[in-house]
Amino acid sequence: MPPISEQNRQPSTTSLSSKGDKVIDPSTYFSTHVPPSNLNASKILVSEFVSKNSKINRPVVLVTSGGTTVPLENNTVRFIDNFSNGNRGAASTERLLEEGYAVIFMHREHSLQPYNRHYTHSAERFLDYFVAGENGEVQINLKYKEKIQTDFEKYSKAINNNQLLMVTFVTLSDYLFLLREVSLTLAAMKRNAMFYLAAAVSDFFIPSHNMSEHKIQSREGNLTLEMNQVPKFLKPLVMNWAPDSYIVSFKLETDPELLVPKARHALSNYGHQIVIANMLHTRKTEVWLIEDKKESHHLQLDSKEAANGVDIELLIIQELVKRHKEWINKN
Ligand code: PMT
């Protein structure tokens, strides 16, 4: 990635955050950062995918999944990351495919992926799924064969029928550039498009022009970082990039007192359709669906479902698909 040139750097447009710090606006972000090298290739794939599904009137959903990294150096040796492993996005994608949606699965490289997640990140090691046959050739361990067969069929059917497209990001910057491109393309599907923003996007970053070019040297002693606030990209997404589509954002908190008020604040601030609120430690068993001027809707797995490994995404997607359909009909 070439370093950003002085000529490319434009004076930042800024606004004040609640703490009085300066927050750049989203358009300034794009004009002062270099797009990822795979952006054009992903853009072409997304455009073909949307066009094919549009022709057969199949609804398309963008699922964002996994965490973004924040590099500390332009030639990155160190970066800040977060906890998200992408299970929410991957499990939701499986359910959305079963509901007949086409899915653009925009995920953090090497995070959990639909169907594959059962093998790549399970308690078993990948090679334990195989045994040696009579002549030493590789065979699937019979214990796993039925499950692998089912997942393989669902996965390959989705790929071959143009129902599943995978595109990747790693850094915050990759994510933001890709989100904008995908949103602008998908917006053409208007109400038939859904945005399911489950990725855990960094809230703080170091602008490219403030970053050390090379590896930060430890001989210089303690390291103090000053990070800027990432502008809220939900605003341009809802207002400009895809104003006619159904937008689902997520709200994650660790303090229960903040969860619902902050989810409601996001709805009134951005004016989108729904927020799915979850707590860090219970996110796999309970969530709240929050719409403006309505009671929040609590979804929770019972203890038997949780013990049997039922994914809460089954409940989330059932409810969401119903609401998306109602919203299309109402509008
Ligand atoms: O991946 P898993 O381990 O399964 O975990 C799933 C999850 C907990 C990550 C997921 O369920 C979830 O809650 N994702 C959103 C977490 C998050 O980033 O919340 P937030 O409060 O920081 O952001 C709220 C919304 O604002 C997000 O939908 C995001 O798209 C948006 N946002 C965030 C930052 C930013 N700069 N601009 C934004 O528009």
Side-chain angles (χ1 to χ4, degrees), residues 64-67 83-89 172 175-176 197-203 230-235 248-253 270 276 278 280 283-284 313:
T64 68
S65 184
F83 70 96
S84 168
N85 67 8
N87 192 60
R88 169 83 77 229
L172 170 74
Y175 173 88
L176 295 176
L197 306 170
V201 184
S202 321
D203 285 319
V230 177
K232 290 291 176 193
F233 282 86
L234 208 44
K235 195 159 213 157
V248 184
S249 75
F250 278 75
K251 177 51 67 188
L252 173 77
E253 289 298 337
Y270 306 122
I276 301 181
N278 53 178
L280 179 66
R283 68 188 190 278
K284 293 192 174 163
E313 287 75 14

Side-chain angles (χ1 to χ4, degrees), residues 149-257:
Q149 181 79 37
T150 311
D151 285 330
F152 172 74
E153 278 168 14
K154 288 182 180 170
Y155 172 70
S156 45
K157 185 173 153 226
I159 296 283
N160 296 335
N161 286 352
N162 286 310
Q163 214 188 332
L164 175 62
L165 176 71
M166 315 255 211
V167 287
T168 58
F169 61 84
V170 177
T171 66
L172 170 74
S173 194
D174 299 346
Y175 173 88
L176 295 176
F177 275 99
L178 189 56
L179 179 68
R180 182 176 65 162
E181 287 305 336
V182 177
S183 305
L184 291 171
T185 307
L186 189 51
M189 294 199 68
K190 296 190 182 271
R191 292 174 203 292
N192 242 0
M194 189 200 287
F195 289 74
Y196 185 86
L197 306 170
V201 184
S202 321
D203 285 319
F204 304 99
F205 78 121
I206 303 177
S208 179
H209 54 270
N210 286 350
M211 244 190 275
S212 167
E213 191 57 29
H214 293 289
K215 184 183 168 203
I216 299 168
Q217 295 298 315
S218 59
R219 62 170 179 255
E220 284 162 24
N222 290 353
L223 178 64
T224 306
L225 294 175
E226 183 172 344
M227 304 187 78
N228 290 23
Q229 215 181 315
V230 177
K232 290 291 176 193
F233 282 86
L234 208 44
K235 195 159 213 157
L237 198 162
V238 175
M239 295 183 75
N240 308 322
W241 301 344
D244 300 321
S245 299
Y246 190 77
I247 296 176
V248 184
S249 75
F250 278 75
K251 177 51 67 188
L252 173 77
E253 289 298 337
T254 55
D255 177 350
E257 299 290 314

Side-chain angles (χ1 to χ4, degrees), residues 29 115 127 162 298 308 331:
Y29 182 91
Y115 306 116
L127 292 178
N162 286 310
H298 185 217
N308 287 338
N331 288 284

